[in-house]
Amino acid sequence: MTEKSPSLVGRAAPEIGLGLCVYNGEPYLSESLASILGQRDADFELVIADNCSTDATEEICREAARNDPRVRYLRRERNVGVIATHNQIIGETRGEFFAWVTSDDQYSSDRLALLAAALREQPDAAMAFSGAEEVDGEGKLIEVWRNTAPTDHPDPVRRLHSKLVHYDETLQFYGLMRRSVLERAMPLQPIVACDRVLIAQLALLGPLIAVNEPLLWHRNHAGSVSRANASRTFRRREAPHENPRWFLPNVEEGRCLLRVIRHTPMSRGERMRAYAAMRPWLRRNAVPMARNVAHVAVGLVRGGKV
């Protein structure tokens, strides 16, 4: 059960639903909210899901909801974890298009308008995303990222192959997605590479359109979700019911990618090509998967202490 705000009751659904999942986001939250609410020429609502923050996050979010009718604040009764709350918030927003936003990124004031226009111009597109400036915790520029992969190719298998070649490029995760396509995809899985798997599936379901101006200011710092998602502790915290002796992140990732191919509507020929398109991923992950299995085997030999 989550606490709900009546701020949007009776309002027509906006074109865009934004979902902000946050836990103790106080350091950068006010700046992020200001950049989101400052979007020009975009019809949107912002739903904030607070995973039981213990800092000033709740106060900041409630203030935003009081001052802007586009904002709805939900506080979870318990911390359900990063992946679960990201999955839940999709159904807690409305609109033809959907995007996850974060408590530490900032957004160019025309970002939503440009991404929504790109989706309207190409009705078969699954997502539109932008270039980005990646900065550290103090705001110092790390790099400027622009898409180099042909993710808008008409052939779904070519798009999948392209994403598996450029697998570490994950800023598409914060693009603007067509809700009808996102709802056809598998939910985010409780694995380390959940964002990469979702991007790969969306690439199979439709073109991913790049608006290559750096309209996103992405903060990469010690407390960011992307950093937490890369850790073993994240995986065990997200799925505590699973036996930690069987922690096989690369194996699980491969299994999820195979499920994506198996469950995405395609012809038999396309499906066989999609399996073959896994080659770049397999080349990179063959050794890590072997290490996963060896780690578990050593743990079993030592009496289950992995």
Side-chain angles (χ1 to χ4, degrees):
M1 192 77 176
T2 55
E3 181 180 342
K4 296 187 178 181
S5 161
S7 59
L8 296 176
V9 173
R11 292 190 61 200
E15 181 180 42
I16 299 167
L18 302 177
L20 194 164
C21 303
V22 60
Y23 174 74
N24 287 357
E26 178 185 357
Y28 309 108
L29 179 56
S30 294
E31 293 176 345
S32 179
L33 287 173
S35 72
I36 294 168
L37 299 177
Q39 293 294 300
R40 299 194 305 253
D41 303 319
D43 178 23
F44 68 92
E45 69 175 14
L46 170 64
V47 177
I48 304 171
D50 182 355
N51 235 341
C52 300
S53 293
T54 58
D55 62 1
T57 292
E58 180 175 4
E59 179 183 345
I60 294 169
C61 293
R62 288 193 183 280
E63 180 69 15
R66 281 193 296 269
N67 293 333
D68 195 316
R70 298 171 298 178
V71 179
R72 185 155 46 108
Y73 174 74
L74 312 177
R75 183 174 174 87
R76 306 296 187 208
E77 289 187 350
R78 62 183 180 85
N79 189 325
V80 299
V82 175
I83 294 174
T85 201
H86 273 72
N87 282 328
Q88 289 175 16
I89 206 168
I90 298 170
E92 293 166 335
T93 60
R94 306 172 298 168
E96 181 182 359
F97 308 138
F98 170 82
W100 284 291
V101 293
T102 79
S103 62
D104 39 22
D105 290 350
Q106 293 183 49
Y107 308 87
S108 168
S109 60
D110 56 353
R111 185 171 191 264
L112 284 182
L114 291 173
L115 296 185
L119 286 176
R120 287 192 295 268
E121 289 170 7
Q122 189 158 337
D124 65 334
M127 175 203 294
F129 61 94
S130 75
E133 293 184 358
E134 188 171 11
V135 300
D136 64 16
E138 286 70 46
K140 182 179 179 181
L141 181 66
I142 299 172
E143 65 174 340
V144 176
W145 176 80
R146 289 182 172 86
N147 181 62
T148 57
T151 55
D152 58 349
H153 196 280
D155 181 355
V157 179
R158 288 281 298 276
R159 296 194 299 266
L160 173 66
H161 180 267
S162 172
K163 275 313 305 166
L164 295 180
V165 169
H166 300 269
Y167 198 52
D168 291 334
E169 296 184 359
T170 60
L171 289 178
Q172 294 97 338
F173 185 76
Y174 297 107
L176 188 63
M177 307 173 196
R178 197 177 301 277
R179 185 181 296 271
S180 60
V181 177
L182 180 61
E183 290 173 346
R184 290 166 56 198
M186 296 190 310
L188 289 171
Q189 300 297 297
I191 63 172
V192 171
C194 58
D195 51 352
R196 291 165 171 79
V197 170
L198 177 65
I199 296 166
Q201 183 165 20
L202 291 176
L204 274 176
L205 290 169
L208 311 184
I209 308 302
V211 178
N212 264 331
E213 290 89 343
L215 306 176
L216 169 64
W217 204 57
H218 178 65
R219 198 184 298 270
N220 189 341
H221 62 100
S224 65
V225 171
S226 56
R227 290 279 188 91
N229 195 13
S231 71
R232 289 172 59 111
T233 55
F234 172 88
R235 173 61 179 81
R236 295 182 182 184
R237 185 171 65 247
E238 290 301 309
H241 59 283
E242 295 189 9
N243 191 334
R245 288 169 31 185
W246 303 102
F247 182 67
L248 299 161
N250 302 87
V251 174
E252 292 168 348
E253 182 180 332
R255 177 177 57 83
C256 286
L257 286 169
L258 291 174
R259 284 184 61 203
V260 160
I261 294 171
R262 187 166 64 249
H263 291 289
T264 301
M266 288 183 283
S267 69
R268 180 179 176 83
E270 286 177 329
R271 201 177 310 281
M272 293 302 103
R273 289 177 55 227
Y275 286 130
M278 288 277 294
R279 287 193 300 269
W281 185 91
L282 287 169
R283 281 195 296 269
R284 294 184 60 180
N285 285 272
V287 172
M289 284 194 291
R291 288 174 179 162
N292 290 170
V293 174
H295 178 76
V296 169
V298 168
L300 292 176
V301 169
R302 292 176 176 175
K305 294 181 180 180
V306 180

